[in-house]
Structure formats: structure tokens, C-alpha cells
Amino acid sequence: MNKIFETPLYPYERHPDQNADTPVRRKVVIVGAGPIGLAAAIDLAQQGIEAIILDDNDKVSFGSRAICFAKRPLEILDRLGAGKQMVEKGVKWDVGKVFFDNRKVYEFNLLPEDGHEFPAFINLQQYYFEDHLVRRAHELQTDGAPIEIRGNNKVLKVEDKGDHTLLHIDTPDGPYDLEADWLLACDGAGSPIRGMLGLDFVGRVFEDNFLIADVIMDADFPTERWFWFDPPFNRGQSALLHKQPDGVWRIDLQLGWDIDKEEEKKPENVIPRLKEMLGEDVQFDLEWVSIYTFQCRRMEKFRQGRVIFAGDAAHQVSPFGARGANSGVQDTDNLVWKLKLVIDGKAPESLLDTYDIERIHGADENILNSSRSTDFITPKSEMSRVLRDAVLDLSEHYEFARPLVNSGRLSVPCTYDGSPLNSADALDGPERTRPGSPCPDVPLKDGYLLPKLADKFTLLTIDADAPDEIEEDGITVTRLALSVHDDPTRFLKERYLGDATSGVYLIRPDQHVAARRPSFDEKLFRAAIRRATGKE
């Protein structure tokens, strides 16, 4: 057993707030010290906003859980001071292979182009993910940043007080109350906070079960994602194989609906299944076993007054496609800069309604793709299965059929098309950098582009003139001037100009495009700044 499961990372300590005669008011309280709550707290603390994390545990999550982390969340985590460490620890991969029976019918590359600092995906156990973020939070706290993690602090009740919330908390020393200007519920799929407020999900629960087994073994499988439809070792079902650090391999086996979950999780039943897949001679040890059921659901609204939900607490998808933790990190990336502007009095509270608009758009996109994947993986009728199998047969020999194969459309960042924060597109430029899009990275002479666009509004000019700084209604926008003449790779022109000869981009603090034009127009860009901060 990995000792990380037993090591308290944020053990309980009595806090002065517990001695107060009346509840202490805190700026932002976050419930849940998983990946999403930690990411939100670190982001807030780096920008000077007080963030208190409450968790009823004091350790990392048991078992590997989420393991696939995509390029965009890694770029966000780099802004939070943890991305490169995670890549160094993780297993990098970009190739996936799909098998039907024992035949390889399809292969794909998730990042066929160069010019990016981060890989398409890494595999990293969630316990390491959390460990890295806890260490980063402690590092910030040591440096004086306003961040705390309070272990063994269990929230028992939440009361809506209009301009704040009141939390009733239990600890090993007894209960205490705490007030929060803003409460972020990052407390996972079962979200006690959601239940306390009488809220629920809408969506689908799929009638199927999958076995997860993390096994420790010395295997020579390549560092790729392998997915099987109807393999010889799991007939009529599907299977998935992924490599993780430390010689750990993730195996998913479809089991069907009518099963006894507790029986199926017993080692005496799991091990024969794995031997049938891996071979009788392969030596392995079980590290973790679990069974999950697909769900593709979300809350109707993520913001409930002064309580805001993020990650699995707000939305759930099937694990095929690695959309859960990845989309949760993007939730916090979208939320924190808006919350900071509201707290600082530089934007109206209504700006937070665009968190709902944009991230519900992202959740619906993920739910749609995840539902389609699940329907393809687990056909609901014999005719659906016949059609699915025909697509798999054709894909072995005909390229046109391969886009129809859906073993889990893998996580991609969301473009906020139609967001009220976007200005009309005025540049005949590449589709991938239209307003609402996350900025693609570009190698520059002194590093990469994305770190230069972090945590602030930026006016990116490419072979165009503009002021070095603009201030509009309390929002300061700084210029980053680039030229295609200093770009021997041509990625800057390809990704930001296309056929245009010049361009000016307004980039949000979360590195999404708010507006773009061929040249600087002060009146129009000032209007775009107001619009991007919820003032128009």
C-alpha cells in the first residue's frame, strides 16, 4: 500500500476562529481539499484574496481516481505554480489505439503539431495531483499568502444570510461557526453542500458498471492509451489500459449492469479477470479497486447567490474522455479572476453570472460528448451494437469511418462562443483564436506566450501599434508587443493572424480571447474592456 494514503498532509490544528465569541467573517471559504478546491484556493491566494479550505479529511484521496490531465489544465496549473512539477512526475502521452476483438482498428495522435510547452496529456494519480497542490498551498502560506487548509473541519450546515453564508462546522475539539462572504462548494460528486441547500442534478445515469483496478507490475506495454471493444478477455464488453507513474497501470473492465458490486471488488474475483487479460505468467499486485456507474448530469445553476459550485459538485460526466477533473480546473480558472474583480469592487456582482453562462456551456459540451461516448461504448440495443461493430470493422481499412469511432472523445478546452463577455470578431483570422477561445501557446525567443498572459488583462499586438497601457474604469490593461518577423517557427502567424497582416487581441486573465481586430481602435477596445468585465 502506498504510504501517501496514510500521511496527514494538513492535520487538524485548533484555530483562533474557534475561540471567537461571535463567528469570524472570512472573504472566501472553500469546502473540499480535492484538486478543484485546492486549485481555486491557490489561484485566489496568488492574487491576494483570502482563501480558507475546509475538509473533513486530512489526507489525499484514496486510490488513483482521476489520472488523465490534459494540456489546457496543465497550462492553468503552471500559472498556479504546479504544472511543471506534475509533468515531471507524470507519464506523458499523446497516442491512443483502439482495438476490436484483438485487431487494432484505429490510432490517433492528440497533439500532432509542435510549438507547445506542455504535452497533450499526462497520466498522474490523483493522490499525487493533490499532494503537489497541497505542497504549493503550504509554500504560499509560508511566503505570507492568505491561504489555509483546515483538516478535520466538517461542515454540518450552511445558512444563506443574503450578503454572506453562515457555516456550522464540527471538529475534534467540538463545533464552531464561521461566516463567509463567498462560499465555493468543491466538495465532490456527493456534495454535502448541494444537499444542505436542497439542490440536485439533472441528466442521465447510465445502466452499466465498470471495474477500475490499479495494478503494480513490470510490463513492457508502450506509453499509450489502449481501448478494446469486445476483447477476447472480456467478451461483449470493453476494456481500457493506461500507464501511470511508479509502475502502476490503470485497467478498466466493463462488467454490465446486473452485478453484485461488493462481490466483484473482492480480490479473488478481480485477479482472475486481470490474469485473463494480462496472461497467467504476468506478476502483479493490486493497489486499488473500485466500481463506478456512468453519470452525465449537472446542476441547473452553478451559482446560488453567495454559494458557487465547481467541479464534480456542479457537474458529472462518465470517466471516458477524462473530462471530470480537467473541466473542474477550468471552472476555477473561469471563476477566480471574476470573483477577484467583484471583491475588489472593480466589476459588478453580475459578472459572476457569466461563470454560470460560460461553464454551463462547457459542462453541456462535456456532457454531450461524454453521453455520445457512453452510448457508443455501451450500445443500448442490438441494432446499435450491429452499427457500432460495423463502424469498427470499417475503421480498420477506411479513414472516413475513423472519426465515427468513439472510445471517449478526450478532453479539449471549451470555447465560450456566444458569451456576453465577447466582442464581435473583427479580424479575418484563424478560427481557433476567435473571441471566447483559450489562447494557444506559441514558442517565443524568451520562453512561451501563455505565461506572459497570466492573471491580468493583456493587449496582445502583432505588428500593430497601441499604447503600452490602458486604464478603463479601474481595469488596467498592459500591452504585449510581438512581431511575426521575430518568429522563425511561424506559429505566431499561423495561430493568431492567418492571412491577416496584423492583429490586436484583448486577452482575459484566464487567457481566453475577449476581442480581436486588425488594428488598435481606442474607443472600440475600451468598450471591449467594459464588456469583458460585465459593465456593458
Side-chain angles (χ1 to χ4, degrees):
M1 180 63 66
N2 193 322
K3 295 212 182 295
I4 195 170
F5 297 140
E6 304 303 324
T7 306
L9 296 184
Y10 39 95
Y12 171 76
E13 294 181 8
R14 186 175 180 88
H15 194 277
D17 286 355
Q18 295 169 247
N19 303 325
D21 293 332
T22 59
V24 175
R25 176 79 66 90
R26 294 295 184 176
K27 192 66 68 178
V28 180
V29 174
I30 299 167
V31 181
I36 312 311
L38 288 164
I42 291 167
D43 203 349
L44 286 162
Q46 285 189 167
Q47 301 186 61
I49 302 295
E50 178 186 63
I52 312 298
I53 306 175
L54 307 178
D55 199 285
D56 59 2
N57 197 358
D58 60 4
K59 305 177 184 68
V60 296
S61 298
F62 185 79
S64 66
R65 299 178 182 268
I67 65 165
C68 296
F69 298 99
K71 185 168 74 69
R72 179 58 195 151
L74 291 172
E75 292 166 347
I76 295 168
L77 291 163
D78 186 51
R79 182 172 62 76
L80 303 183
K84 291 183 179 65
Q85 299 93 311
M86 291 185 183
V87 171
E88 184 177 343
K89 176 64 178 178
V91 173
K92 296 182 283 292
W93 66 276
D94 52 23
V95 171
K97 292 177 180 176
V98 177
F99 300 86
F100 184 28
D101 194 352
N102 56 8
R103 296 174 288 130
K104 187 185 82 170
V105 296
Y106 182 41
E107 181 175 326
F108 57 85
N109 187 333
L110 292 167
L111 193 60
E113 63 179 18
D114 294 326
H116 295 269
E117 185 173 12
F118 286 89
F121 269 89
I122 64 166
N123 287 350
L124 182 70
Q125 295 93 319
Q126 183 171 317
Y127 48 79
Y128 283 133
F129 188 108
E130 293 178 13
D131 183 53
H132 280 295
L133 289 181
V134 169
R135 293 176 189 279
R136 175 59 179 156
H138 286 158
E139 181 182 272
L140 288 168
Q141 188 175 26
T142 300
D143 290 343
I147 185 171
E148 296 176 33
I149 309 176
R150 300 185 188 177
N152 296 123
N153 275 238
K154 182 177 182 178
V155 178
L156 300 177
K157 185 178 178 182
V158 172
E159 295 184 42
D160 181 358
K161 298 295 185 178
D163 67 342
H164 70 281
T165 58
L166 175 64
L167 292 88
H168 303 278
I169 303 162
D170 193 24
T171 75
D173 285 336
Y176 75 105
D177 293 345
L178 190 67
E179 293 181 348
D181 286 343
W182 297 94
L183 176 63
L184 306 189
C186 305
D187 50 344
S191 184
I193 302 299
R194 194 178 61 236
M196 292 172 198
L197 296 177
L199 302 169
D200 203 354
F201 284 129
V202 294
R204 299 170 63 188
V205 177
F206 290 84
E207 295 187 354
D208 221 318
N209 293 289
F210 281 74
L211 173 77
I212 294 177
D214 276 0
V215 301
I216 303 172
M217 63 180 178
D218 185 12
D220 59 359
F221 301 117
T223 306
E224 299 169 344
R225 178 188 192 262
W226 284 8
F227 192 99
W228 287 265
F229 291 95
D230 193 22
F233 53 83
N234 198 26
R235 279 296 179 204
Q237 308 287 3
S238 61
L240 177 66
L241 177 69
H242 260 304
K243 184 179 182 180
Q244 303 175 65
D246 302 338
V248 178
W249 294 80
R250 161 68 63 82
I251 296 170
D252 288 37
L253 295 172
Q254 185 181 359
L255 299 181
W257 179 244
D258 189 17
I259 65 168
D260 184 326
K261 293 183 180 181
E262 293 307 312
E263 279 296 314
E264 292 290 351
K265 286 195 294 185
K266 291 179 178 178
E268 61 264 31
N269 293 320
V270 173
I271 289 172
R273 288 183 179 276
L274 298 180
K275 283 185 174 293
E276 191 171 355
M277 176 183 183
L278 302 170
E280 288 290 336
D281 297 333
V282 175
Q283 299 298 310
F284 60 84
D285 294 311
L286 286 177
E287 180 176 84
W288 179 60
V289 175
S290 183
I291 290 179
Y292 62 86
T293 300
F294 285 168
Q295 298 187 32
C296 291
R297 308 190 296 166
R298 68 166 173 84
M299 297 178 66
E300 291 189 5
K301 288 179 64 66
F302 297 169
R303 181 191 172 204
Q304 307 285 333
R306 290 289 178 122
V307 183
I308 303 174
F309 291 81
D312 284 353
H315 47 75
Q316 295 176 44
V317 292
S318 69
F320 292 114
R323 297 174 182 277
N326 285 304
S327 63
V329 171
Q330 291 170 80
D331 287 346
T332 66
D333 187 48
N334 184 283
L335 173 62
V336 166
W337 70 271
K338 297 174 181 178
L339 187 56
K340 174 179 168 55
L341 289 182
V342 171
I343 289 172
D344 290 347
K346 294 183 178 181
E349 191 173 312
S350 58
L351 177 63
L352 295 173
D353 293 333
T354 68
Y355 168 73
D356 246 6
I357 293 168
E358 293 183 339
R359 291 314 299 162
I360 284 176
H361 174 76
D364 285 346
E365 188 175 280
N366 282 330
I367 287 170
L368 176 64
N369 283 305
S370 189
S371 298
R372 286 174 174 172
S373 298
T374 305
D375 285 336
F376 193 86
I377 292 166
T378 62
K380 303 304 181 289
S381 69
E382 185 57 31
M383 184 55 68
S384 296
R385 182 177 295 277
V386 169
L387 178 61
R388 195 273 311 270
D389 291 354
V391 168
L392 290 169
D393 279 329
L394 287 168
S395 67
E396 185 175 7
H397 304 289
Y398 300 102
E399 188 172 348
F400 81 88
R402 291 167 190 162
L404 302 175
V405 175
N406 194 339
S407 63
R409 300 275 189 249
L410 285 148
S411 176
V412 294
C414 178
T415 294
Y416 303 130
D417 287 318
S419 168
L421 303 187
N422 295 347
S423 293
D425 191 0
L427 180 70
D428 185 20
E431 183 76 1
R432 69 192 292 182
T433 44
R434 65 190 184 275
S437 301
C439 290
D441 211 355
V442 172
L444 303 175
K445 290 187 297 185
D446 57 346
Y448 281 83
L449 174 62
L450 287 183
K452 300 177 185 300
L453 304 176
D455 297 331
K456 63 185 184 301
F457 277 95
T458 303
L459 196 68
L460 171 63
T461 63
I462 306 171
D463 293 318
D465 292 326
D468 289 336
E469 186 174 285
I470 308 170
E471 185 164 335
E472 176 61 29
D473 197 16
I475 305 297
T476 300
V477 182
T478 55
R479 179 189 179 199
L480 174 63
L482 301 176
S483 172
V484 297
H485 302 298
D486 299 325
D487 175 31
T489 68
R490 307 295 289 171
F491 290 130
L492 180 64
K493 177 172 176 56
E494 174 190 317
R495 294 171 188 173
Y496 286 87
L497 289 185
D499 293 332
T501 57
S502 64
V504 180
Y505 281 75
L506 177 64
I507 311 297
R508 303 176 354 176
D510 60 358
Q511 302 167 330
H512 278 251
V513 176
R516 65 178 186 176
R517 303 187 64 82
S519 60
F520 179 73
D521 182 305
E522 182 171 354
K523 179 180 177 181
L524 292 176
F525 272 101
R526 287 187 178 277
I529 296 166
R530 293 194 300 274
R531 188 172 298 110
T533 51
K535 299 170 186 172
E536 288 231 339

